[in-house]
Amino acid sequence: MSRVQIARYAGAVDDYNPVHVDEEFAKAAGLPSVIAHGPLTVALALDAVVAQIGPDALRSATARLSAPVFPGDELTVAPTDKGVEVRKADGTVVATVALTPAAAADGA
């Protein structure tokens, strides 16, 4: 995750909460740096999934965030029984995303 991605997302969604954009504020709050918006992390994971399976194969997704993402964190998306996990390089799971395939939602 890069600072540029975080800043661009803040602008795109008009969310300038200082924990996302102000380094000094984030540090004063006890964080090592600003943190990425949770929906940005989920969106990047879904982009990776859709790139693999195609946009018509996915009906819905439900995400649960579990750890902050900081600038410089390398994220990977790993399949699970019910969807995917988004992990940092150290193995920390930052999000789980349950996926509903289009065929399952259509009763096929």
Side-chain angles (χ1 to χ4, degrees):
M1 181 77 58
S2 74
R3 286 182 185 278
V4 171
Q5 285 174 303
I6 295 168
R8 286 183 177 165
Y9 187 84
V13 299
D14 198 28
D15 180 354
Y16 296 100
N17 182 318
V19 76
H20 300 301
V21 297
D22 184 332
E23 184 79 17
E24 294 308 314
F25 181 90
K27 286 182 177 180
L31 298 165
S33 182
V34 296
I35 60 172
H37 301 74
L40 172 58
T41 301
V42 174
L44 292 173
L46 288 174
D47 282 349
V49 169
V50 169
Q52 290 292 314
I53 67 172
D56 294 332
L58 183 62
R59 175 63 174 226
S60 66
T62 305
R64 181 173 177 92
L65 300 164
S66 54
V69 175
F70 301 100
D73 282 348
E74 295 287 328
L75 302 177
T76 58
V77 178
T80 66
D81 290 341
K82 295 183 181 183
V84 296
E85 287 182 341
V86 182
R87 300 178 187 152
K88 292 184 185 188
D90 68 2
T92 302
V93 175
V94 299
T96 54
V97 184
L99 304 173
T100 303
D106 294 337

